[in-house]
Amino acid sequence: MLVKLAVLFSGNGSNLENILEKLHQKSIGANSYEVVLCLCNKKDALGIKRAKKYGLKSVIVEHKNFATREDFDRVLVEEIQKSGADLTILAGFMRILSPVFTKNIKAINLHPSLLPLFKGAKAIKESYESDMQVAGVSVHWVSEELDGGKIIAQKAFEKKKLSFEEFEEKIHSLEHEILPLSVIEIFS
Ligand code: GRF
């Protein structure tokens, strides 16, 4: 089947670019993949430039222009439904989503910790600073609970004596492995 993907991001967009590089307009197994929507809530996000390299114009929906979370989410839902996406990928999309979104959109989220540990926006720092000897990344279904839906895939590594920069780099390299593989897995 042709799998249509929507990718939502807020900033750097390295995971968006990784999805574009590994899945966009590629045939893998019985499926081919097309990113039909890149959507960002910040007009200056680097990810917008990354999408442009692939000929894709990002839709910008700035959350600050909306009075409520629900009003913002309604526009996200409209844009995603209009795009015809089969799956929405939250790749560094730094917004808490209301039931307006979660009840209407089939979405997965990438999170830089071994969930259910270290939910929220400070996951990398908290996981680095914790006494745990392992750390990792997770992909999960998006539910009403922040970083709380059913886990699809995880990858762990030993922290050893990594500096914070090395640790962050390891997290991002594992994210780049796990996210496209999870998408492929979902449709296979
Ligand atoms: C990633 O660490 C992801 O897990 C988190 O936000 C970061 C996004 O990075 N939710 P990028 O914008 O894809 O480079």
Side-chain angles (χ1 to χ4, degrees), residues 9-16 50 90-94 109-112 124 171-172 175-176:
F9 62 100
S10 294
N12 182 34
S14 72
N15 284 285
L16 162 71
R50 297 187 193 256
L90 306 182
F93 189 63
M94 306 308 276
N109 181 43
L110 173 66
H111 188 75
I124 298 184
I171 292 276
H172 294 309
E175 287 184 331
H176 294 166

Side-chain angles (χ1 to χ4, degrees), residues 4-6 36-37 78-86:
K4 295 181 184 167
L5 303 170
V36 292
L37 175 66
E78 265 171 37
E79 289 292 341
I80 293 165
Q81 287 178 343
K82 203 166 70 185
S83 77
D86 302 297

Side-chain angles (χ1 to χ4, degrees), residues 155-171:
K155 255 182 191 277
F157 63 98
E158 286 188 51
K159 285 156 80 176
K160 302 232 172 94
K161 288 195 164 47
L162 296 182
S163 69
F164 181 70
E165 290 68 30
E166 290 165 337
F167 180 83
E168 236 186 338
E169 209 171 288
K170 179 74 184 168
I171 292 276

